[in-house]
Amino acid sequence: MSDAPLHRFRVHFHDGKTIDISAASSLIAERQARIKHPGGYVKKIKIIRENDNG
């Protein structure tokens, strides 16, 4: 199994709910978010960029 680096993703649902997930890819983040919010429709998935200013 590959040791791909984890990224932080924010998954937005059509009902307004958002879930932050750490995953190797956006597809894995979407799958994990759907498990946590079953029946929801994913609107968009964005990578969370870290702020260098702390």
Side-chain angles (χ1 to χ4, degrees):
M1 185 174 245
S2 176
D3 290 330
L6 295 181
H7 301 284
R8 295 285 298 163
F9 293 95
R10 182 162 290 143
V11 181
H12 298 260
F13 290 87
H14 278 281
D15 63 2
K17 184 174 180 77
T18 60
I19 298 176
D20 292 350
I21 300 281
S22 291
S25 72
S26 61
L27 293 174
I28 295 170
E30 179 181 0
R31 184 175 62 207
Q32 291 175 352
R34 286 177 184 259
I35 291 169
K36 291 184 177 190
H37 187 55
Y41 294 100
V42 173
K43 182 176 182 180
K44 64 182 171 181
I45 303 169
K46 298 185 82 172
I47 193 164
I48 300 172
R49 302 272 182 212
E50 293 297 324
N51 187 355
D52 291 336
N53 294 335

